[in-house]
Amino acid sequence: MAESHATAGRIVIGARSAIFAPVENLGLIVVDEEHEHSYKQESPPRYHARDVSVVRAHLEKCAVLLGSATPSLESWRNTLTGKYRLLTMKQRVDNQTLPLIRILDMRQEGRRLDQKRSRHSIHQAPTGNGKPPHER
């Protein structure tokens, strides 16, 4: 098991296996960047530390906080179905500006890209001598 570090305030910080640490009276489990693939243990015993955290929080009757600016699809769906409660940050640490977010309809973006490629292909079409128009 990976090493974890406990402080006098009963906070345990560790790698994904720290979820198995024998801590009594848990009050909160925090999984930062819960969408990260690195929470998956690929070698036996296989487990996903995010999912184990949710189960352990349920068993220990404590809260679990899954943090992410880009939540996993599983977590996002769990918020939509009411299994999880979504909490949002209205501002960033130190009042840093939030990134600009645009929602794009990829069907429309794909059409625009196809049209752009078509126009580009017409301008770049090779001539009989294989040279582009500006070199003839």
Side-chain angles (χ1 to χ4, degrees):
M1 182 179 299
E3 181 180 348
S4 62
H5 302 282
T7 67
R10 299 202 29 94
I11 296 173
V12 177
I13 299 171
R16 66 176 168 241
S17 61
I19 192 59
F20 299 112
V23 177
E24 295 180 13
N25 301 318
L26 277 174
L28 173 67
I29 298 172
V30 178
V31 181
D32 191 29
E33 302 297 341
E34 64 88 16
H35 65 277
E36 284 290 325
H37 177 73
S38 61
Y39 284 109
K40 288 185 177 179
Q41 173 71 27
E42 299 295 339
S43 59
R46 289 183 170 87
Y47 64 93
H48 195 305
R50 178 200 62 216
D51 298 341
V52 172
S53 298
V54 171
V55 171
R56 180 155 186 202
H58 176 75
L59 295 173
E60 300 276 351
K61 295 177 178 46
C62 75
V64 62
L65 176 67
L66 305 177
S68 179
T70 54
S72 66
L73 291 176
E74 298 91 345
S75 293
W76 185 249
R77 183 173 191 285
N78 284 330
T79 63
L80 296 177
T81 62
K83 185 175 180 179
Y84 293 174
R85 185 172 54 159
L86 178 65
L87 303 174
T88 58
M89 293 176 58
K90 302 295 184 199
Q91 66 185 60
R92 296 177 91 177
V93 175
D94 296 332
N95 291 321
Q96 294 182 13
T97 58
L98 291 169
L100 174 65
I101 298 173
R102 295 186 324 176
I103 299 175
L104 302 175
D105 182 338
M106 294 309 292
R107 296 170 294 195
Q108 294 296 326
E109 292 300 310
R111 288 184 197 118
R112 285 189 198 116
L113 185 58
D114 288 343
Q115 290 171 352
K116 187 175 180 180
R117 283 185 189 144
S118 295
R119 285 193 301 270
H120 183 70
S121 297
I122 291 169
H123 281 56
Q124 296 286 322
T127 61
N129 63 8
K131 293 183 179 179
H134 69 279
E135 291 182 8
R136 282 187 259 154

